[in-house]
Amino acid sequence: MALRTLITRKSLGLGLGVSQSVRGLQTVSLPDLPYDYGALEPAISGEIMKLHHQKHHQTYITNYNKALEQLHEAMEKGDSSTVVKLQGAIKFNGGGHVNHSIFWKNLTPVHEGGGEPPKGSLGWAIDTHFGSMEALVAKINSEGAAVQGSGWVWLGLDKDLKKLVVETTANQDPLVTKGPNLVPLLGIDVWEHAYYLQYKNVRPDYLKNVWKVIDWKYASEVYEKECP
Amino acid sequence: MLATPAPVSLASALLPAQGWKSSRSLLWRGKRRTCSRKGNSSLIIAKFELKPPPYPLSALEPHMSRETLEYHWGKHHRGYVDNLNRQIVGTELDGMTLEDIITITYNKGDLLPAFNNAAQVWNHTSFWESMKPGGGGEPSGDLLELIKRDFGSFERFVEEFKLAASTQFGSGWAWLAYKANRLDVGNAVNPRPSEEDKKLVVVKSPNAINPLLWDCNPLLTIDVWEHAYYLDFQLNHYCFFSQNHRPDYISIFMEKLVSWEAVSSRLEMAKAQVANREREEERRKRAEEEEQMPYSEAVKMYLESDGDGDDSEAE
């Protein structure tokens, strides 16, 4: 079940780069960034954006496609043992692709509205659930800084309870692994590769600065689709 | 109460009943801690110190830059030490050895707050000591023999080690460890141990976890958290456009940095500890048996004195 949600474009509605049908298998490809690598400076350096996009995200895609092909073969042969063995690689690399695809949309240059707080229903919901934008930011930053090792910190929407939540996930686990009803509005990558070249070991500084380039318009769109 | 840490509820519940604790803590205690007594109170303030690598920070260049060491040791490792000291002061963990703190705060997988800092302090010290300037090459002597026995060849070992290091998803470590004659089941003990049961294994672990928790003796370790290689592998030195930076770092580590002397001497220590533990277990078993004998003697005497004087057994 989880596998199908990963490879079906519709269920995610994210416009993931989907290309080539290899023997009926849909593989994925690297989505373009809607801004230049240097456009998010000084919050995130161009060097980091380029490496993050061209190396890290691309590697997840390459390995995910490879795992999918191997899975396809194993399923055709009825090789259950291999099918199960591949789940780790699929979750990790597929999750990496899903998460980073969301992340690029969560960011936007300052001159395109980066950092501008959300107006409309998402803004209200944040005030209702967290008290204020400042309180939300403080909570996300503290949970993000507390992630041990590699992972993500999310602002999510529980679409059944219509409630906003702050969650963290480990490694490349997508937000749904914390609850099947959770829709990611905003994710911040706290893997070291996301900030190390610029902020070194001071993850809290990265978290403080990334808010300047967060695209609340995108988060609001996702929110309004689930809570019209 | 003053000279040794008082037994604590957590400790008795979580420390292994077997002997390694006492033999190992003796080895680490002197090197790691400074204890000072504060005035007249019975409070012991034990602070862990940040131990420097056994070489200058620039000594591993060009394979691992001074800048990396400055951050990795000077900020990351130092941060773990400082945070650990802050977390344990005034608690029941204060005054314990690092290994004991690691075991207790691991809490059978339900990690307590100090675990990450404690384990990372230990892991990083082990990492610096696993490397040396002009390192690499091949091991020799007992170590090489064991590697050949347990992996088939040195090349096969290197392959397995590199695979473990590169497939540890996210942050973590890869290890060469010495596993004593235990079954792979929690607290079971192999009833018929033999020399072959003691073997070398390659294991990988996530985040701060290390093989001490699996009752292995770590011999060699490589840090595969991104901070270990990110500065060196993204900038000038190595293939900027290569897909995978971690594998390059692992290769350089094996070819140019590993200190086989350190690994060999840890192997000797591990073998000695395991032998010690076996002797202690023997002694304990014998002591238990001896304790039971007086009881049966007493029964016999009782029966003899109470009976008709004949020597027939009661049953």
Side-chain angles (χ1 to χ4, degrees):
Chain A
M1 181 185 65
L3 175 62
R4 234 181 295 137
T5 54
L6 279 176
I7 59 176
T8 309
R9 189 183 182 170
K10 275 181 270 202
S11 59
L12 286 169
L14 283 174
L16 298 174
V18 176
S19 70
Q20 307 169 10
S21 241
V22 180
R23 292 176 309 230
L25 176 70
Q26 292 244 293
T27 54
V28 300
S29 64
L30 189 65
D32 284 330
L33 295 192
Y35 38 78
D36 289 338
Y37 289 130
L40 302 181
E41 296 202 346
I44 305 180
S45 75
E47 191 185 14
I48 287 185
M49 288 305 294
K50 183 173 181 186
L51 283 165
H52 205 170
H53 183 243
Q54 285 186 3
K55 273 181 107 169
H56 292 277
H57 190 171
Q58 181 60 66
T59 301
Y60 291 126
I61 285 173
T62 304
N63 291 338
Y64 176 55
N65 287 337
K66 200 161 51 170
L68 279 186
E69 270 189 56
Q70 291 170 339
L71 177 73
H72 193 74
E73 269 178 48
M75 280 167 64
E76 286 192 324
K77 285 195 283 189
D79 181 358
S80 313
S81 163
T82 301
V83 168
V84 172
K85 196 171 69 154
L86 287 167
Q87 298 307 312
I90 288 171
K91 183 182 186 191
F92 180 65
N93 292 296
H97 172 54
V98 166
N99 294 339
H100 285 86
S101 301
I102 298 172
F103 189 47
W104 308 137
K105 292 177 191 265
N106 285 148
L107 302 171
T108 195
V110 171
H111 61 81
E112 303 265 359
E116 264 174 42
K119 310 173 176 71
S121 53
L122 179 56
W124 281 110
I126 287 175
D127 286 344
T128 308
H129 286 113
F130 299 100
S132 66
M133 175 60 91
E134 289 70 34
L136 171 64
V137 168
K139 185 169 166 75
I140 290 182
N141 286 354
S142 109
E143 303 222 1
V147 171
Q148 294 293 334
S150 311
W152 291 74
V153 59
W154 303 92
L155 172 65
L157 167 68
D158 185 325
K159 61 182 174 187
D160 282 357
L161 301 178
K162 299 284 188 260
K163 216 168 72 108
L164 291 178
V165 296
V166 169
E167 271 292 353
T168 59
T169 56
N171 298 334
Q172 292 299 348
D173 295 355
L175 182 59
V176 294
T177 57
K178 280 293 175 94
N181 304 320
L182 296 181
V183 176
L185 303 178
L186 170 57
I188 300 178
D189 189 349
V190 293
W191 278 64
E192 286 173 328
H193 65 237
Y195 60 88
Y196 206 77
L197 290 181
Q198 192 177 349
Y199 296 95
K200 307 293 191 311
N201 60 308
V202 195
R203 193 192 284 175
D205 279 357
Y206 158 67
L207 287 168
K208 229 180 4 193
N209 283 294
V210 76
W211 294 102
K212 302 180 183 146
V213 287
I214 290 289
D215 188 358
W216 282 109
K217 274 193 300 240
Y218 171 74
S220 292
E221 275 165 28
V222 179
Y223 180 78
E224 278 156 24
K225 205 154 62 140
E226 298 293 340
C227 302
Chain B
M1 238 326 198
L2 297 180
T4 53
V8 289
S9 53
L10 270 183
S12 48
L14 291 168
L15 285 178
Q18 307 290 347
W20 78 257
K21 168 204 159 194
S22 44
S23 51
R24 262 198 206 142
S25 17
L26 285 173
L27 282 172
W28 293 109
R29 189 181 285 273
K31 285 202 271 182
R32 291 291 154 77
R33 291 174 39 232
T34 52
C35 294
S36 56
R37 207 169 290 175
K38 201 176 184 184
N40 289 330
S41 74
S42 53
L43 181 70
I44 294 184
I45 300 175
K47 266 170 61 94
F48 289 101
E49 284 170 2
L50 176 64
K51 204 176 158 197
Y55 37 77
L57 297 186
S58 57
L60 300 181
E61 293 203 332
H63 313 297
M64 189 178 280
S65 68
R66 184 171 57 102
E67 197 191 10
T68 291
L69 267 288
E70 278 172 357
Y71 279 103
H72 200 175
W73 173 78
K75 303 269 161 113
H76 289 269
H77 195 179
R78 188 186 298 281
Y80 293 126
V81 172
D82 292 346
N83 289 336
L84 177 64
N85 283 332
R86 253 196 300 271
Q87 275 173 320
I88 65 175
V89 73
T91 71
E92 58 191 359
L93 298 172
D94 202 348
M96 293 192 168
T97 65
L98 188 58
E99 285 76 7
D100 286 351
I101 294 178
I102 290 171
T103 311
I104 289 173
T105 55
Y106 178 65
N107 196 22
K108 299 188 182 169
D110 189 11
L111 309 182
L112 299 178
F115 174 76
N116 280 299
N117 290 312
Q120 287 290 74
V121 170
W122 196 96
N123 296 341
H124 282 89
T125 303
S126 182
F127 179 51
W128 308 132
E129 291 170 359
S130 293
M131 298 186 287
K132 67 168 198 186
E138 288 195 15
S140 57
D142 268 358
L143 175 59
L144 183 59
E145 287 316 304
L146 272 185
I147 286 178
K148 285 190 181 152
R149 185 195 75 175
D150 293 333
F151 295 98
S153 66
F154 176 65
E155 287 71 26
R156 295 267 300 275
F157 153 70
V158 170
E159 243 177 69
E160 201 173 315
F161 187 77
K162 283 186 176 177
L163 184 67
S166 55
T167 57
Q168 174 51 48
F169 289 154
S171 313
W173 304 76
W175 310 81
L176 170 65
Y178 183 68
K179 195 164 150 42
N181 56 343
R182 308 226 150 230
L183 297 176
D184 281 328
V185 178
N187 29 18
V189 178
N190 188 340
R192 303 193 56 196
S194 72
E195 274 306 305
E196 272 82 51
D197 295 326
K198 301 193 186 97
K199 55 184 184 167
L200 296 177
V201 291
V202 163
V203 292
K204 59 189 184 195
S205 58
N207 297 341
I209 305 249
N210 66 39
L212 290 176
L213 300 167
W214 304 324
D215 203 22
C216 293
N217 294 61
L219 305 180
L220 170 66
T221 183
I222 182 172
D223 187 350
V224 292
W225 282 60
E226 286 177 324
H227 63 237
Y229 54 91
Y230 214 74
L231 292 181
D232 286 340
F233 280 83
Q234 304 315 326
L235 308 179
N236 354 13
H237 309 245
Y238 304 102
C239 321
F240 186 89
F241 292 107
S242 84
Q243 266 297 292
N244 293 307
H245 15 271
R246 195 196 277 185
D248 293 339
Y249 156 68
I250 299 169
S251 292
I252 296 282
F253 175 84
M254 292 307 288
E255 287 159 28
K256 309 279 194 217
L257 291 170
V258 175
S259 165
W260 290 114
E261 290 83 13
V263 180
S264 285
S265 84
R266 284 184 189 143
L267 177 63
E268 293 314 306
M269 268 179 18
K271 288 202 262 183
Q273 276 174 18
V274 168
N276 246 357
R277 174 168 60 179
E278 283 173 348
R279 274 196 294 272
E280 277 185 37
E281 277 179 33
E282 277 299 302
R283 229 174 292 146
R284 201 172 37 90
K285 252 190 275 179
R286 256 181 283 130
E288 276 176 16
E289 283 164 21
E290 273 167 26
E291 243 171 74
Q292 294 183 8
M293 278 180 50
Y295 174 72
S296 48
E297 291 284 315
V299 167
K300 249 172 142 184
M301 281 161 49
Y302 173 77
L303 289 172
E304 280 171 8
S305 61
D306 206 32
D308 306 322
D310 65 72
D311 286 346
S312 58
E313 291 289 318
E315 309 217 285

